[in-house]
Amino acid sequence: MDGGFNTRAIHAGQDPDPATGAVIPPLHLTTTYKQDGVGGLRGGYEYSRSGNPTRTALQEALAALEEGTTGLAFASGLAAEDTLLRTVCEPGSHVVLGGDAYGGTFRLISRVAAPWGVEHSPADLNDLDALRSVMRPTTRVIWCETPTNPLLNIADIARLAEFAHEHGALLVVDNTFASPYLQRPLTLGADVVVHSTTKYLGGHSDVVGGALVVGDDELADRLAYHQNAMGAVNGPFDAWLVLRGIKTLGVRMDRHGANAACIAEFLLGHPAVGSVLYPGLPDHPGHDVAARQMSGFGGMLSFRLTGGEEAALRVCERARVFTLAESLGGVESLIEHPARMTHASAAGSPLEVPADLVRLSVGIEDAEDLLADLDQALA
Ligand SMILES: *Cc1c(COP(=O)(O)O)cnc(C)c1O
């Protein structure tokens, strides 16, 4: 499917149904498919763990958006990550993990993969000397998130891809925070893109899902084999919901970014706020790299309160338009306290986050209502 990003989001993998002309891909709620004689499969479909047309539509759309050749959809972001790790690692393999990776990714690698003999080292992905010192001959993967959660750090994808390849490792980029609308890691040299489609791709806080996208056919075949063999696929309705969300990804991301920029500006000038972490701000340490590799700065923003943890908790509790909840990437604005909520399990680890930090997932409501809400919550 050719065309610009928004055209691909609406049409890739989603041709009108040949049987009926249905403009929207049908929801194929079937586990099995009639064979025209033994082995006479129609379109390759045999059993819905192995393949389902609604999932195929989503997978083709994901590949087109990330400019990869193959997309694979899963029951959750972590199911996608697990399938990837078990495909490219074996006992004795080593994974290098960016300093403030998603807590669930850290847990999967450090608690679930480790007992099976997969070793890991945390590293600052912006410090190539530090990175070089943790690389081993067995390093299979450098795992990168950019922007990170919840500190909004930025890593240079093109530079990391080159570094990983010099060391015979794959660069995996978790692109959940940026979404393919703002950043396409495969075009910068990354080998695998990971998504929690639960977030911006689904976009409406009503479906949990995950995805992998690659551009290499050999790796795609191995991942597809494991997708079927391990079976952590999403159901057709979940695939359909993500597909529907994807159609408006571009307009949603534009509004998420515009609202977040307004809020960053407002918070910068507020006396109760010590610092604002948003890559769109010119003095953010990753601003230049973000400006180069992203086409916008997204809807995630964190800030620290001069009044410490107590002030941070109070803002979270007083917000009204911002809903106090975990997760992110939906049309509604959310507020949370990472140290006690999403990142509570990181307490005491290298991933611990400051207690005076508040994270916002800025939604697409009217900016003035969001600003008024933060103003009263900070008062
Ligand atoms: C939510 C999230 C995940 C995990 O995805 P699930 O769909 O919750 O399994 C992974 N990475 C990032 C950056 C996330 O925000």
Side-chain angles (χ1 to χ4, degrees), residues 20-344:
T20 63
V23 167
I24 296 303
L27 186 49
H28 288 275
L29 290 174
T30 185
T31 57
T32 191
Y33 305 83
K34 173 181 160 56
Q35 303 193 5
D36 298 316
V38 175
L41 307 184
R42 299 187 192 173
Y45 293 105
E46 161 181 54
Y47 181 62
S48 278
R49 169 166 36 72
S50 317
N52 175 284
T54 314
R55 191 167 85 234
T56 302
L58 172 60
Q59 295 186 152
E60 289 180 5
L62 290 166
L65 295 187
E66 286 288 359
E67 300 187 41
T69 52
T70 302
L72 297 166
F74 295 87
S76 69
L78 284 170
E81 297 184 14
D82 181 35
T83 303
L84 169 62
L85 287 167
R86 288 203 259 170
T87 303
V88 300
C89 295
E90 58 193 13
S93 298
H94 176 241
V95 174
V96 173
L97 185 61
D100 54 348
Y102 177 71
T105 301
F106 181 68
R107 183 176 57 201
L108 178 66
I109 291 172
S110 64
R111 298 287 177 86
V112 180
W116 294 90
V118 175
E119 298 173 352
H120 69 281
S121 309
D124 176 355
L125 299 182
N126 283 312
D127 181 346
L128 284 196
D129 289 332
L131 205 50
R132 204 167 281 117
S133 73
V134 300
M135 295 298 289
R136 303 179 192 170
T138 52
T139 307
R140 291 281 167 275
V141 167
I142 297 179
W143 193 287
C144 164
E145 257 178 70
T146 181
T148 61
N149 176 19
L151 298 177
L152 283 304
N153 287 319
I154 300 292
D156 185 333
I157 296 172
R159 194 172 70 164
L160 278 175
E162 201 176 316
F163 179 89
H165 298 156
E166 278 167 14
H167 290 80
L170 298 172
L171 179 67
V172 173
V173 177
D174 182 334
N175 203 27
T176 299
F177 264 40
S179 91
Y181 182 65
L182 299 180
Q183 172 172 281
R184 289 177 289 284
L186 298 177
T187 68
L188 299 165
D191 301 287
V192 183
V193 167
V194 172
H195 276 288
S196 169
T197 57
T198 312
K199 315 295 169 52
Y200 287 108
L201 287 163
H204 296 76
S205 305
D206 54 10
V207 59
V208 171
L212 301 173
V213 186
V214 297
D216 176 83
D217 290 341
E218 192 265 336
L219 181 56
D221 287 347
R222 287 200 289 141
L223 289 169
Y225 178 84
H226 282 78
Q227 181 197 38
N228 179 49
M230 292 168 62
V233 294
N234 51 351
F237 186 50
D238 287 1
W240 188 92
L241 283 170
V242 177
L243 256 182
R244 183 168 71 164
I246 280 176
K247 289 177 191 288
T248 55
L249 180 65
V251 289
R252 285 188 286 109
M253 291 313 293
D254 283 342
R255 177 69 85 90
H256 283 296
N259 281 355
C262 283
I263 288 171
E265 194 74 16
F266 165 79
L267 291 174
L268 268 184
H270 199 287
V273 175
S275 59
V276 180
L277 286 61
Y278 184 61
L281 295 172
D283 64 350
H284 183 284
H287 176 74
D288 292 344
V289 174
R292 197 163 66 233
Q293 70 189 13
M294 301 173 78
S295 59
F297 302 104
M300 296 302 298
L301 178 158
S302 296
F303 60 100
R304 299 180 69 169
L305 278 296
T306 50
E309 178 169 29
E310 211 174 300
L313 293 171
R314 203 165 51 232
V315 173
C316 292
E317 281 158 17
R318 290 179 54 128
R320 290 291 169 267
V321 183
F322 281 85
T323 302
L324 177 58
E326 299 193 0
S327 199
L328 60 111
V331 292
E332 65 289 307
S333 291
L334 303 178
I335 189 167
E336 67 120 359
H337 185 258
R340 294 217 186 175
M341 295 171 63
T342 49
H343 291 66

